């Protein structure tokens, strides 16, 4: 048998929920696509991508060059 290091085990443990979520999203996407169409599906994706860009520029604070202790929640 192959012995995995602690770091590899941790990475695999943290990646598992993401893979499960991706597979569920992938399986439901075909029904979503059949219901509203390709253009609308990608339009919704583009809308939320644009919203995320504005969110980052307006809400997320710059942390470049700052120490961890300088950043406040």
């Amino acid at each position: 048998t192959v012995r995995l290091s602690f770091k590899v085990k941790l990475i695999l443990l943290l990646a598992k929920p993401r893979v499960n979520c991706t597979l569920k999203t992938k399986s439901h996407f075909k029904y979503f696509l059949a219901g509203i169409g390709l253009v609308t599906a990608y339009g919704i994706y583009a809308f939320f991508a644009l919203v995320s860009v504005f969110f980052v520029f307006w809400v997320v604070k710059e942390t470049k060059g700052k120490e961890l202790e300088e950043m406040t929640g």
Side-chain angles (χ1 to χ4, degrees), residues 43-62:
I44 292 170
Y45 171 75
F47 170 74
F48 282 107
L50 187 63
V51 167
S52 68
V53 168
F54 286 114
F55 176 81
V56 168
F57 280 117
W58 286 331
V59 178
V60 178
K61 296 178 182 176
E62 178 62 54

Side-chain angles (χ1 to χ4, degrees), residues 8-26:
V8 172
K9 288 179 184 177
L10 183 63
I11 290 170
L12 291 173
L13 180 67
L14 293 174
K16 187 176 180 177
R18 180 171 295 216
V19 170
N20 288 340
C21 183
T22 302
L23 292 175
K24 288 178 184 176
T25 303
K26 203 173 190 181

Side-chain angles (χ1 to χ4, degrees), residues 25-40:
T25 303
K26 203 173 190 181
S27 66
H28 294 302
F29 183 71
K30 60 184 172 186
Y31 300 113
F32 183 66
L33 191 61
I36 64 170
L38 182 64
V39 173
T40 308

